[in-house]
Amino acid sequence: MPEPTASPRLPRLVLLGKQGAGKGTQAVRLAEHYGIPHLSTGDMFREAAAAGTPLGLDAKGFMDRGFLVPDDIVIGVVEEQLAGDRAAKGFVLDGFPRTRHQAEELDRILGPNQLDLAIDLDVPTEVVLHRIAGRRVCANCGAVYHLDNPPEHDWTCDVCGGKVEQRDDDTEDAVMRRLELYEMKTLPVIQYYRRSGILAHVDASDEPDEVFKRLAELVDSYFDPGARAL
Ligand code: AP5
Protein backbone atom coordinates (compact mmCIF):
# COMPACT_ATOMS: atom_id res chain seq x y z
CA MET A 1 0.00 0.00 0.00
CA PRO A 2 1.31 3.46 -0.85
CA GLU A 3 2.00 6.00 1.90
CA PRO A 4 -0.74 8.62 2.52
CA THR A 5 -0.10 12.09 1.15
CA ALA A 6 -1.46 15.48 2.17
CA SER A 7 -1.33 16.74 -1.43
CA PRO A 8 -4.15 19.18 -2.36
CA ARG A 9 -4.29 17.86 -5.95
CA LEU A 10 -7.27 16.06 -7.48
CA PRO A 11 -6.69 12.31 -7.78
CA ARG A 12 -5.22 10.48 -10.77
CA LEU A 13 -6.70 7.00 -10.53
CA VAL A 14 -6.78 3.73 -12.41
CA LEU A 15 -9.51 1.14 -11.72
CA LEU A 16 -8.53 -2.46 -12.35
CA GLY A 17 -10.57 -5.65 -12.01
CA LYS A 18 -12.16 -8.50 -13.92
CA GLN A 19 -14.90 -7.91 -16.47
CA GLY A 20 -18.03 -7.14 -14.46
CA ALA A 21 -16.10 -6.17 -11.32
CA GLY A 22 -17.89 -2.80 -11.40
CA LYS A 23 -15.16 -0.56 -12.86
CA GLY A 24 -17.62 1.41 -14.99
CA THR A 25 -20.21 1.63 -12.21
CA GLN A 26 -17.71 2.95 -9.68
CA ALA A 27 -15.71 5.14 -12.08
CA VAL A 28 -18.85 7.18 -12.82
CA ARG A 29 -19.40 7.75 -9.09
CA LEU A 30 -15.75 8.61 -8.39
CA ALA A 31 -15.69 11.07 -11.29
CA GLU A 32 -18.80 12.83 -10.02
CA HIS A 33 -17.66 12.82 -6.39
CA TYR A 34 -14.20 14.28 -7.08
CA GLY A 35 -15.12 16.42 -10.11
CA ILE A 36 -12.67 14.60 -12.39
CA PRO A 37 -13.13 13.16 -15.91
CA HIS A 38 -14.07 9.48 -16.32
CA LEU A 39 -12.04 8.01 -19.17
CA SER A 40 -13.31 4.59 -20.29
CA THR A 41 -11.59 3.06 -23.31
CA GLY A 42 -14.52 0.62 -23.74
CA ASP A 43 -17.02 3.53 -23.85
CA MET A 44 -14.79 5.46 -26.28
CA PHE A 45 -14.70 2.49 -28.67
CA ARG A 46 -18.45 1.84 -28.34
CA GLU A 47 -19.19 5.52 -29.10
CA ALA A 48 -16.84 5.47 -32.10
CA ALA A 49 -18.47 2.25 -33.35
CA ALA A 50 -21.98 3.72 -32.96
CA ALA A 51 -20.83 6.79 -34.93
CA GLY A 52 -19.49 4.45 -37.64
CA THR A 53 -15.93 5.88 -37.64
CA PRO A 54 -13.16 3.67 -39.12
CA LEU A 55 -11.53 3.48 -35.66
CA GLY A 56 -14.81 2.42 -34.03
CA LEU A 57 -15.66 -0.20 -36.65
CA ASP A 58 -12.13 -1.59 -36.45
CA ALA A 59 -12.34 -1.78 -32.63
CA LYS A 60 -15.82 -3.34 -32.74
CA GLY A 61 -14.45 -6.29 -34.71
CA PHE A 62 -12.14 -7.11 -31.79
CA MET A 63 -14.57 -6.24 -29.00
CA ASP A 64 -17.53 -8.32 -30.18
CA ARG A 65 -15.35 -11.44 -30.22
CA GLY A 66 -13.93 -10.68 -26.77
CA PHE A 67 -10.42 -9.84 -28.00
CA LEU A 68 -8.36 -6.88 -26.87
CA VAL A 69 -8.08 -3.97 -29.27
CA PRO A 70 -4.41 -3.77 -30.39
CA ASP A 71 -2.13 -1.76 -28.08
CA ASP A 72 -1.12 0.86 -30.65
CA ILE A 73 -4.76 1.83 -31.29
CA VAL A 74 -5.70 2.02 -27.59
CA ILE A 75 -2.57 3.90 -26.57
CA GLY A 76 -3.13 6.49 -29.33
CA VAL A 77 -6.70 7.09 -28.12
CA VAL A 78 -5.65 7.51 -24.46
CA GLU A 79 -2.74 9.77 -25.37
CA GLU A 80 -5.17 12.05 -27.19
CA GLN A 81 -7.39 12.24 -24.08
CA LEU A 82 -4.53 13.03 -21.71
CA ALA A 83 -2.60 15.36 -24.00
CA GLY A 84 -1.20 18.68 -22.77
CA ASP A 85 -1.88 19.46 -19.13
CA ARG A 86 -5.16 17.51 -18.94
CA ALA A 87 -3.61 14.76 -16.82
CA ALA A 88 -2.59 17.31 -14.20
CA LYS A 89 -6.27 18.01 -13.44
CA GLY A 90 -7.04 14.50 -12.22
CA PHE A 91 -8.94 11.61 -13.85
CA VAL A 92 -10.24 8.11 -13.31
CA LEU A 93 -9.21 5.61 -15.97
CA ASP A 94 -11.51 2.60 -16.46
CA GLY A 95 -10.42 -0.27 -18.72
CA PHE A 96 -6.92 1.08 -19.33
CA PRO A 97 -4.18 -0.07 -18.94
CA ARG A 98 -4.95 -3.68 -19.72
CA THR A 99 -1.51 -4.95 -20.75
CA ARG A 100 1.92 -4.37 -19.27
CA HIS A 101 2.93 -2.45 -22.40
CA GLN A 102 -0.08 -0.12 -21.96
CA ALA A 103 0.93 0.46 -18.32
CA GLU A 104 4.47 1.41 -19.35
CA GLU A 105 3.13 3.70 -22.07
CA LEU A 106 0.74 5.35 -19.59
CA ASP A 107 3.72 6.23 -17.38
CA ARG A 108 5.36 7.81 -20.43
CA ILE A 109 2.19 9.75 -21.41
CA LEU A 110 1.70 11.07 -17.86
CA GLY A 111 5.28 12.33 -17.56
CA PRO A 112 5.50 14.47 -14.42
CA ASN A 113 1.81 13.83 -13.52
CA GLN A 114 2.18 10.19 -12.49
CA LEU A 115 -0.68 8.05 -11.15
CA ASP A 116 -1.61 8.29 -7.48
CA LEU A 117 -3.44 5.00 -7.02
CA ALA A 118 -4.18 1.86 -9.05
CA ILE A 119 -7.19 0.28 -7.36
CA ASP A 120 -7.97 -3.38 -7.96
CA LEU A 121 -11.67 -4.21 -7.47
CA ASP A 122 -11.72 -7.75 -6.03
CA VAL A 123 -14.77 -9.85 -6.99
CA PRO A 124 -15.03 -13.67 -7.29
CA THR A 125 -15.51 -15.02 -10.84
CA GLU A 126 -18.96 -16.54 -10.11
CA VAL A 127 -20.21 -13.09 -9.04
CA VAL A 128 -18.91 -11.32 -12.16
CA LEU A 129 -20.54 -13.97 -14.38
CA HIS A 130 -23.92 -13.19 -12.80
CA ARG A 131 -23.33 -9.45 -13.15
CA ILE A 132 -22.37 -9.66 -16.83
CA ALA A 133 -25.24 -12.02 -17.71
CA GLY A 134 -27.74 -9.50 -16.30
CA ARG A 135 -26.03 -6.29 -17.44
CA ARG A 136 -27.96 -3.90 -19.66
CA VAL A 137 -26.58 -0.56 -20.91
CA CYS A 138 -28.02 2.58 -22.45
CA ALA A 139 -27.22 2.55 -26.18
CA ASN A 140 -27.13 6.37 -26.11
CA CYS A 141 -25.19 7.46 -22.98
CA GLY A 142 -23.70 4.18 -21.70
CA ALA A 143 -25.44 4.26 -18.27
CA VAL A 144 -25.19 0.79 -16.73
CA TYR A 145 -28.14 -1.23 -15.34
CA HIS A 146 -28.81 -4.83 -14.37
CA LEU A 147 -31.84 -7.13 -14.56
CA ASP A 148 -31.81 -6.89 -10.74
CA ASN A 149 -31.60 -3.08 -10.90
CA PRO A 150 -33.49 -1.92 -14.03
CA PRO A 151 -34.31 1.66 -15.08
CA GLU A 152 -37.61 3.06 -13.78
CA HIS A 153 -39.51 2.94 -17.09
CA ASP A 154 -39.59 -0.09 -19.33
CA TRP A 155 -35.88 -0.27 -20.30
CA THR A 156 -35.66 3.42 -21.09
CA CYS A 157 -32.59 5.11 -19.63
CA ASP A 158 -33.24 7.15 -16.45
CA VAL A 159 -30.44 9.56 -17.45
CA CYS A 160 -31.16 10.35 -21.12
CA GLY A 161 -34.25 8.39 -22.20
CA GLY A 162 -32.17 6.17 -24.57
CA LYS A 163 -32.87 2.50 -25.25
CA VAL A 164 -31.40 0.14 -22.63
CA GLU A 165 -30.15 -3.16 -24.08
CA GLN A 166 -27.58 -5.95 -23.79
CA ARG A 167 -24.01 -5.19 -24.93
CA ASP A 168 -22.89 -6.94 -28.15
CA ASP A 169 -19.85 -8.42 -26.35
CA ASP A 170 -21.82 -9.86 -23.41
CA THR A 171 -22.29 -13.22 -25.15
CA GLU A 172 -21.11 -16.34 -23.31
CA ASP A 173 -18.21 -16.99 -25.76
CA ALA A 174 -16.94 -13.41 -25.69
CA VAL A 175 -17.20 -13.20 -21.90
CA MET A 176 -15.17 -16.41 -21.39
CA ARG A 177 -12.50 -15.11 -23.79
CA ARG A 178 -12.40 -11.73 -22.01
CA LEU A 179 -11.93 -13.45 -18.65
CA GLU A 180 -9.13 -15.65 -20.06
CA LEU A 181 -7.42 -12.59 -21.52
CA TYR A 182 -7.77 -10.85 -18.17
CA GLU A 183 -5.75 -13.65 -16.51
CA MET A 184 -3.11 -13.65 -19.25
CA LYS A 185 -2.73 -9.96 -20.05
CA THR A 186 -4.10 -7.88 -17.18
CA LEU A 187 -2.86 -9.74 -14.08
CA PRO A 188 0.70 -8.63 -15.02
CA VAL A 189 -0.58 -5.02 -14.82
CA ILE A 190 -1.55 -5.60 -11.18
CA GLN A 191 1.93 -6.96 -10.57
CA TYR A 192 3.39 -3.88 -12.32
CA TYR A 193 1.57 -1.47 -9.97
CA ARG A 194 2.40 -3.60 -6.92
CA ARG A 195 6.07 -3.14 -7.77
CA SER A 196 5.51 0.61 -8.33
CA GLY A 197 4.04 0.84 -4.79
CA ILE A 198 0.71 2.43 -5.84
CA LEU A 199 -1.54 -0.67 -5.81
CA ALA A 200 -4.52 -0.89 -3.45
CA HIS A 201 -7.20 -3.61 -3.25
CA VAL A 202 -10.87 -3.02 -2.48
CA ASP A 203 -13.44 -5.76 -1.86
CA ALA A 204 -16.04 -4.99 -4.56
CA SER A 205 -18.36 -7.95 -4.01
CA ASP A 206 -20.92 -5.99 -1.94
CA GLU A 207 -23.64 -3.56 -3.03
CA PRO A 208 -22.51 -0.59 -5.20
CA ASP A 209 -23.11 2.00 -2.42
CA GLU A 210 -20.96 0.04 0.02
CA VAL A 211 -18.18 -0.44 -2.55
CA PHE A 212 -18.22 3.28 -3.35
CA LYS A 213 -17.95 4.14 0.36
CA ARG A 214 -14.82 1.96 0.60
CA LEU A 215 -13.31 3.56 -2.50
CA ALA A 216 -13.97 7.13 -1.36
CA GLU A 217 -12.52 6.34 2.09
CA LEU A 218 -9.43 4.90 0.44
CA VAL A 219 -8.94 7.86 -1.90
CA ASP A 220 -9.71 10.40 0.85
CA SER A 221 -7.09 8.80 3.05
CA TYR A 222 -4.48 9.79 0.43
CA PHE A 223 -5.85 13.20 -0.53
CA ASP A 224 -6.92 16.29 1.32
CA PRO A 225 -10.78 16.14 1.26
CA GLY A 226 -10.71 19.97 0.93
CA ALA A 227 -9.38 19.54 -2.61
CA ARG A 228 -12.61 17.85 -3.71
CA ALA A 229 -14.64 19.72 -6.37
CA LEU A 230 -18.00 20.22 -4.66
P1 AP5 B 1 -14.82 -2.48 -21.32
O1 AP5 B 1 -16.00 -1.69 -21.70
O2 AP5 B 1 -13.75 -1.85 -20.52
O3 AP5 B 1 -15.36 -3.80 -20.64
P2 AP5 B 1 -14.71 -4.81 -19.56
O4 AP5 B 1 -13.35 -4.56 -19.13
O5 AP5 B 1 -14.99 -6.13 -20.16
O6 AP5 B 1 -15.42 -4.48 -18.29
P3 AP5 B 1 -16.90 -4.50 -18.13
O7 AP5 B 1 -17.49 -3.27 -18.76
O8 AP5 B 1 -17.42 -5.83 -18.64
O9 AP5 B 1 -17.11 -4.54 -16.58
P4 AP5 B 1 -17.05 -3.42 -15.46
O10 AP5 B 1 -16.00 -3.81 -14.50
O11 AP5 B 1 -16.98 -2.03 -16.04
O12 AP5 B 1 -18.46 -3.68 -14.79
P5 AP5 B 1 -19.80 -2.78 -14.79
O13 AP5 B 1 -19.61 -1.58 -13.95
O14 AP5 B 1 -20.32 -2.61 -16.18
O15 AP5 B 1 -14.10 -3.08 -22.61
C1 AP5 B 1 -14.83 -3.70 -23.63
C2 AP5 B 1 -13.89 -4.15 -24.72
O16 AP5 B 1 -13.21 -3.02 -25.28
C3 AP5 B 1 -12.76 -5.10 -24.32
O17 AP5 B 1 -13.18 -6.45 -24.27
C4 AP5 B 1 -11.74 -4.83 -25.43
O18 AP5 B 1 -12.10 -5.48 -26.62
C5 AP5 B 1 -11.88 -3.33 -25.65
N1 AP5 B 1 -10.95 -2.57 -24.80
C6 AP5 B 1 -11.30 -1.67 -23.85
N2 AP5 B 1 -10.22 -1.18 -23.24
C7 AP5 B 1 -9.15 -1.80 -23.82
C8 AP5 B 1 -7.75 -1.74 -23.61
N3 AP5 B 1 -7.21 -0.94 -22.68
N4 AP5 B 1 -6.95 -2.52 -24.37
C9 AP5 B 1 -7.46 -3.31 -25.33
N5 AP5 B 1 -8.78 -3.43 -25.57
C10 AP5 B 1 -9.63 -2.68 -24.82
O19 AP5 B 1 -20.77 -3.78 -13.97
C11 AP5 B 1 -21.19 -5.01 -14.56
C12 AP5 B 1 -22.65 -5.30 -14.12
O20 AP5 B 1 -22.70 -5.52 -12.72
C13 AP5 B 1 -23.64 -4.14 -14.39
O21 AP5 B 1 -24.87 -4.68 -14.76
C14 AP5 B 1 -23.74 -3.40 -13.05
O22 AP5 B 1 -24.99 -2.78 -12.89
C15 AP5 B 1 -23.55 -4.56 -12.06
N6 AP5 B 1 -22.83 -4.17 -10.86
C16 AP5 B 1 -21.73 -3.37 -10.78
N7 AP5 B 1 -21.30 -3.26 -9.50
C17 AP5 B 1 -22.15 -4.05 -8.77
C18 AP5 B 1 -22.23 -4.37 -7.39
N8 AP5 B 1 -21.35 -3.86 -6.50
N9 AP5 B 1 -23.20 -5.22 -6.97
C19 AP5 B 1 -24.10 -5.74 -7.86
N10 AP5 B 1 -24.08 -5.46 -9.19
C20 AP5 B 1 -23.11 -4.63 -9.63
Side-chain angles (χ1 to χ4, degrees), residues 60-67 169 173-175 177-178:
K60 187 170 165 54
F62 294 99
M63 291 166 79
D64 285 357
R65 288 176 295 141
F67 289 109
D169 62 344
D173 268 6
V175 169
R177 188 166 297 118
R178 280 153 64 202

Side-chain angles (χ1 to χ4, degrees), residues 19-20 23 25 41 46 67 95 98 135 145 178 206:
Q19 288 63 31
K23 300 180 294 294
T25 302
T41 41
R46 279 185 287 277
F67 289 109
R98 220 177 267 236
R135 172 167 52 196
Y145 301 91
R178 280 153 64 202
D206 294 309

Side-chain angles (χ1 to χ4, degrees), residues 18-26 40-43 45-46 62-63 66-69 74 94-98 102 131-132 134-136 144-146 167 169 178 204 206-208 211:
K18 290 186 190 94
Q19 288 63 31
K23 300 180 294 294
T25 302
Q26 298 299 335
S40 157
T41 41
D43 285 352
F45 292 135
R46 279 185 287 277
F62 294 99
M63 291 166 79
F67 289 109
L68 291 179
V69 175
V74 194
D94 151 21
F96 184 93
R98 220 177 267 236
Q102 290 180 13
R131 288 186 186 176
I132 294 176
R135 172 167 52 196
R136 299 293 182 270
V144 182
Y145 301 91
H146 194 275
R167 253 169 58 173
D169 62 344
R178 280 153 64 202
D206 294 309
E207 288 303 305
V211 176

Side-chain angles (χ1 to χ4, degrees), residues 22 62 112 135 159 180 185 206 213 220:
F62 294 99
R135 172 167 52 196
V159 180
E180 273 168 28
K185 302 280 190 181
D206 294 309
K213 195 166 149 251
D220 283 348

Side-chain angles (χ1 to χ4, degrees), residues 40-121:
S40 157
T41 41
D43 285 352
M44 289 174 211
F45 292 135
R46 279 185 287 277
E47 278 160 26
T53 68
L55 168 87
L57 296 177
D58 202 12
K60 187 170 165 54
F62 294 99
M63 291 166 79
D64 285 357
R65 288 176 295 141
F67 289 109
L68 291 179
V69 175
D71 277 354
D72 53 340
I73 298 181
V74 194
I75 291 162
V77 164
V78 171
E79 188 154 18
E80 225 175 271
Q81 294 291 324
L82 293 174
D85 64 350
R86 273 188 258 176
K89 295 178 182 147
F91 55 82
V92 52
L93 269 170
D94 151 21
F96 184 93
R98 220 177 267 236
T99 64
R100 191 189 155 97
H101 179 56
Q102 290 180 13
E104 289 165 351
E105 285 295 292
L106 179 60
D107 286 350
R108 175 189 63 75
I109 292 167
L110 294 178
N113 303 307
Q114 289 293 301
L115 286 177
D116 297 303
L117 281 169
I119 306 172
D120 181 28
L121 301 180

